[in-house]
Amino acid sequence: MPCTDFPARLRACADLQIPEVRESAGRHEYDGVVQDLSPAGVRAGLTALGQGPPPSDSFDAAYLAAVEAGLGAMLGEFEDHRRNPIWHIANLDLACYDRTYAPAEERDRARRQHLAAWPDAVDAAVESLDRVPQPVARALVTAASGLLPASVRAAESDPVAVAATAAHERFVAHLHRAGERGPSDATLGAAALSRMLGAGEAMQVDLGSLAEAADAERDRLRALLNEACARLDRQTAPRLVVERLLRDYPSTPEQIYSEARVLIAETTAFTIGAGILADPGGECLVGPAPESRRWAMAMMSWAAPYEADAPSWYHVTPPDPSWPHSEREDWLAVFSRTTLPAITVHEVTPGHYAHGRRRRLLTSDVRRAFRSVAFTEGWAHYVEELFIDEGFRDGDPRYAIGAAIEALIRVTRLAVSIGIHTGAYDVVEGAKRFAADAFLRGSAARAEAERATFDPTYGRYTWGKLVIRQLQGQARAAWGADYSHLRFHDSLLGLGAPPLGLVSEAVRVG
């Protein structure tokens, strides 16, 4: 079903990213609809980009042009839907119907309609996915395998379920074949990575300068970490302090969820009291990530701008029960009592959840419907360190240590992404860098390095943070004594989740 109340230019962008606008923006006219990701279907969608008059607001026009440029680069220039199964996994994913944005009967109908379209979507996926590198296929087989709910697999008398199960088996088998026979090299090359990063952000990206910025930021973060460790224990080397702290973690996923709920209340109260943001309101629940989304360790599924209000979900990925005990322990250590507070600040308040609440207040269709992931992740990462600056927990150095560890993971993503896609690293070397620079171990380090193969722009967390911090300095200089965090953040989030190249508008209009 088309997005009928959008102008043609917005509709063309929405039609090329149906899973994103359905869930992140809440455009539920796309419920039950799969995107045609066949080569011909994508080509047809691309021909509609840029057709029709631009928005009357000049900022919205520039914003939309960046969205169009990003889609044109990813699906047109690079045909990423032919090398990267993540497009097709998102297209098949039924987890978007789990949140209570509508009555259960309505969501169940949409889920069934979506499931009935799986055979056609898998046909398109198998046709398109003819360039999948072995490392990419292997990294995503588990996520693809998790797409089929157990209830569907068990419904042997339901023809829709039977057809969907068969289609799912074909899709997973195709990825297994790609994992055995595809190109061994997942490297994009410097020019392609630079273009992928910048096209949708209204920016030109110099990877050399960005790599230098990543190294400088790593060094700054290590100094911050060392200082915080010294405040906690001057007699012990920082790495040993960190290792000791990371061994203190909830022993089960249920304990992680319980402690996260307490942290949400604490970080929300601090956000309001410190004048970082106004009360976001709403409700945020905590629970395990859907199986299809367990390639990431934690994530937010928010009540979207076009939906009626409903609870959002802070999802945490539990360790796979089939893993050896040591690997499950390595994974749980990611959610230590030192790092879980910063993860919660990032995912909930004043991070993604609070950002999602602000997007609900916007009136511009461009700003409500489309978002820069670099800005979205950059904002959530920026506020983690802001909590240090504002003295969260009365300056308890353990929060600063946890925030620094999380930041070191994000800056290592930037370095590893550039390394892998310029040919300097492979996945094994990337995992070693996560272990050396970001304190990750075993399966957690490996998972982070593998993510670079199918999510090559995942260094955008640090990139977005650095852009926002630079803009904050410009706002302080321009506004002088009239600067406040609340003024700056209100102006910035009033832009939605804008392309990084356009964020200076916040200082002009603020």
Side-chain angles (χ1 to χ4, degrees), residues 203 462-472 500-501 503:
M203 294 180 75
T462 295
W463 182 33
K465 177 190 75 172
L466 294 176
V467 169
I468 293 172
R469 285 181 52 191
Q470 182 180 37
L471 185 70
Q472 182 191 44
L500 295 180
V503 295

Side-chain angles (χ1 to χ4, degrees), residues 379-410:
W379 162 262
H381 191 24
Y382 154 82
V383 295
E384 295 170 35
E385 190 166 334
L386 189 64
F387 262 44
I388 300 175
D389 298 339
E390 295 303 306
F392 178 60
R393 290 185 167 177
D394 294 324
D396 184 342
R398 284 171 294 186
Y399 176 79
I401 293 168
I405 292 169
E406 289 301 301
L408 284 164
I409 293 172
R410 274 55 178 268

Side-chain angles (χ1 to χ4, degrees), residues 91-169:
N91 199 31
L92 294 168
D93 195 357
L94 302 171
C96 56
Y97 306 112
D98 290 351
R99 278 189 308 104
T100 55
Y101 62 83
E105 297 81 3
E106 182 178 328
R107 291 182 287 114
D108 287 344
R109 283 195 301 271
R111 184 184 288 107
R112 184 170 178 79
Q113 182 181 341
H114 195 144
L115 192 67
W118 270 27
D120 288 341
V122 169
D123 286 345
V126 171
E127 182 185 2
S128 278
L129 290 170
D130 56 0
R131 305 174 184 172
V132 186
Q134 292 177 17
V136 173
R138 292 169 182 168
L140 287 172
V141 161
T142 299
S145 299
L147 285 166
L148 187 70
S151 59
V152 174
R153 189 182 298 277
E156 297 180 356
S157 62
D158 179 354
V160 170
V162 170
T165 299
H168 178 256
E169 290 173 354

Side-chain angles (χ1 to χ4, degrees), residues 11 15-16 25 29 80 93 139 155 176 192 217 237 239 262 266 272 316 319 329 339 344 349 356 363 368 392 430 445:
R11 185 171 65 248
D15 288 347
L16 280 170
E29 63 267 49
D80 197 51
D93 195 357
H176 277 297
E217 180 67 0
R239 178 168 287 275
V262 174
E266 181 185 9
I272 298 166
V316 174
E329 296 296 297
T339 51
T344 304
T349 301
T363 58
R368 296 173 83 193
F392 178 60

